[in-house]
Amino acid sequence: MATYDLTPRIAPNLDRHLVFPLLEFLQEQQMYPDEEILKAKIELLNKTNMVDYAMDIHKSLYRTEDVPQDMIERRVEVVARLKSLEESAAPLVAFLQNPSAVQELRADKQYNLQMLNDRYQIGPDQIEALYQYAKFQFECGNYSGAADYLYQYRALCTNSERSLSALWGKLAAEVLMQNWVVAVEELNRLKEIIDSKSFSSPLNQVQSRIWLMHWSLFIFFNHDNDKTQIIDLFNQDKYLNAIQTSAPHLLRYLATAFIINKRRRSQFKDFIRVIQQEQHSYKDPITEFLACVFVNYDFDGAQKKMKECEEVIVKDPFLGKQVEDGNGSTMPLRDEFLKNARLFILETYCRIHQRIDMG
């Protein structure tokens, strides 16, 4: 099943911290040797400030209570840097923790900056320090604190690039805390900016759309919606073009959404053409199932592909989500997928045959 694992394709398009939930899933599924996963985790952690977590994993990987000297030194560095940033941001943090003072803030950022400077002696340096402090908190794994400070920073920031960077950070923090309702709002804000902003090169805009789609997978397959939102985003021309040129593996998730959403049949024919066009660049059992039913009318092949589809879904970190109910755990998306896949086969079979042997 590691053949169908998309983690190596998805991970380069995610923030480093968003890769951890994927590695946790792979570890649970035992798709790779435990040692490989632990080494991958340490490699990721080495480029963050989550030093204590890295030490714990090092201990379990090498079955020892000792940790390398460079990890100990790194921890001292991180604590010192955190303290320094905390001091720089302290005046603004103190202001933000005072509800009556915060009420003085308005939608007019220029007014806010002037008021902060005049009344509280808080200037651009302290606002920049808040951004650096929020970013450092995020790197330490304090996603709640980072989300709060990034939200406050965006209310004061007048630099559009920095504001955009803070919004990406806020989205990542909300996803990691599993605040799906807020994450959807941040995702929509980000999409609006990406679609309306004039980028220095069209390539940068395409790359931003690709990142947005990858990050959205966490939300669309966890948030309690009817999975139509992923079709609304991925199936727009600009986004579908980005998938076809740079990220064809995302077709797996769009194909799954189409299969479990009967109400989107009107857009479905065009999507089948895309599946046909992209067979040379990407295919897996889910896209091949659609090709069997709607392109080749190969119903025996489709039945075989269904079994493979089930395996792919179970081993996919986004599709294989389990839900606890009274009788243990179920996998709602898999059950919905298989039910609709059988319907697809039956409907198409009925459409092209005049007579059907009910046996």
Side-chain angles (χ1 to χ4, degrees), residues 216-272:
S216 75
L217 294 173
F218 290 95
I219 300 168
F220 293 144
F221 290 107
N222 282 290
H223 184 231
D224 292 330
N225 61 34
D226 54 4
K227 306 292 178 290
T228 56
Q229 289 186 14
I230 190 170
I231 297 174
D232 294 338
L233 178 65
F234 285 30
N235 205 46
Q236 287 181 36
D237 287 346
K238 288 171 184 174
Y239 286 82
L240 198 53
N241 288 342
I243 290 174
Q244 288 181 267
T245 53
S246 307
H249 53 275
L250 290 176
L251 289 172
R252 170 187 293 181
Y253 302 104
L254 186 50
T256 303
F258 267 120
I259 289 169
I260 61 178
N261 273 295
K262 296 190 209 69
R263 286 179 290 170
R264 293 309 180 95
R265 293 289 168 85
S266 56
Q267 298 159 287
F268 192 60
K269 281 181 186 171
D270 292 336
F271 179 64
I272 295 298

Side-chain angles (χ1 to χ4, degrees), residues 20-279:
F20 286 110
L22 304 189
L23 292 180
E24 292 287 345
F25 181 87
L26 295 179
Q27 196 170 9
E28 281 168 28
Q29 295 292 323
Q30 300 180 323
M31 283 171 68
Y32 301 94
D34 224 32
E35 193 179 305
E36 271 184 47
I37 299 285
L38 291 174
K39 280 181 178 170
K41 280 185 181 179
I42 287 181
E43 200 177 317
L44 270 181
L45 287 165
N46 284 342
K47 295 188 175 79
T48 73
N49 296 329
M50 295 161 75
V51 191
D52 289 342
Y53 186 24
M55 286 176 170
D56 290 343
I57 291 175
H58 184 277
K59 287 173 188 174
S60 79
L61 176 60
Y62 297 105
R63 295 175 181 83
T64 173
E65 281 305 303
D66 299 324
V67 292
Q69 185 60 32
D70 61 341
M71 276 189 172
I72 296 166
E73 287 167 8
R74 173 98 174 100
R75 190 180 190 283
V76 173
E77 269 176 45
V78 166
V79 171
R81 176 81 176 131
L82 182 61
K83 201 171 177 192
S84 156
L85 286 169
E86 200 170 2
E87 284 168 10
S88 306
L92 186 47
V93 169
F95 168 84
L96 294 168
Q97 285 170 348
N98 179 347
S100 59
V102 170
Q103 278 181 337
E104 296 180 66
L105 293 174
R106 296 182 190 169
D108 178 0
K109 289 186 183 181
Q110 290 305 329
Y111 168 84
N112 292 337
L113 297 180
Q114 193 63 49
M115 184 269 291
L116 284 170
N117 203 4
D118 295 347
R119 293 193 207 169
Y120 301 94
Q121 289 72 56
I122 292 169
D125 290 350
Q126 284 79 20
I127 293 170
E128 173 60 20
L130 182 68
Y131 173 81
Q132 296 299 341
Y133 183 50
K135 193 166 183 284
F136 205 83
Q137 290 276 13
F138 181 87
E139 289 300 338
C140 290
N142 176 10
Y143 305 124
S144 172
D148 288 345
Y149 292 135
L150 287 169
Y151 172 76
Q152 303 286 8
Y153 171 78
R154 288 193 73 239
L156 300 169
C157 170
T158 52
N159 178 327
S160 61
E161 290 302 317
R162 263 294 159 80
S163 183
L164 184 60
S165 169
L167 187 52
W168 280 106
K170 175 88 160 55
L171 173 60
E174 298 298 352
V175 166
L176 288 158
M177 291 189 291
Q178 301 186 6
N179 291 339
W180 304 122
V181 175
V182 182
V184 168
E185 290 168 11
E186 303 299 6
L187 185 79
N188 291 334
R189 266 191 204 104
L190 209 42
K191 179 186 182 296
E192 208 173 297
I193 294 170
I194 290 167
D195 289 346
S196 62
K197 191 173 182 297
S198 53
F199 281 76
S200 52
S201 82
L203 205 61
N204 289 351
Q205 193 169 28
V206 169
Q207 186 58 65
S208 294
R209 287 192 176 118
I210 288 165
W211 287 338
L212 190 76
M213 286 187 282
H214 280 89
W215 293 35
S216 75
L217 294 173
F218 290 95
I219 300 168
F220 293 144
F221 290 107
N222 282 290
H223 184 231
D224 292 330
N225 61 34
D226 54 4
K227 306 292 178 290
T228 56
Q229 289 186 14
I230 190 170
I231 297 174
D232 294 338
L233 178 65
F234 285 30
N235 205 46
Q236 287 181 36
D237 287 346
K238 288 171 184 174
Y239 286 82
L240 198 53
N241 288 342
I243 290 174
Q244 288 181 267
T245 53
S246 307
H249 53 275
L250 290 176
L251 289 172
R252 170 187 293 181
Y253 302 104
L254 186 50
T256 303
F258 267 120
I259 289 169
I260 61 178
N261 273 295
K262 296 190 209 69
R263 286 179 290 170
R264 293 309 180 95
R265 293 289 168 85
S266 56
Q267 298 159 287
F268 192 60
K269 281 181 186 171
D270 292 336
F271 179 64
I272 295 298
R273 278 199 288 275
V274 172
I275 292 283
Q276 262 182 292
Q277 288 163 8
E278 296 305 319
Q279 276 182 320

Side-chain angles (χ1 to χ4, degrees), residues 1-14:
M1 278 313 296
T3 314
Y4 297 124
D5 174 30
L6 292 180
T7 308
R9 290 195 185 198
I10 289 171
N13 295 289
L14 297 177

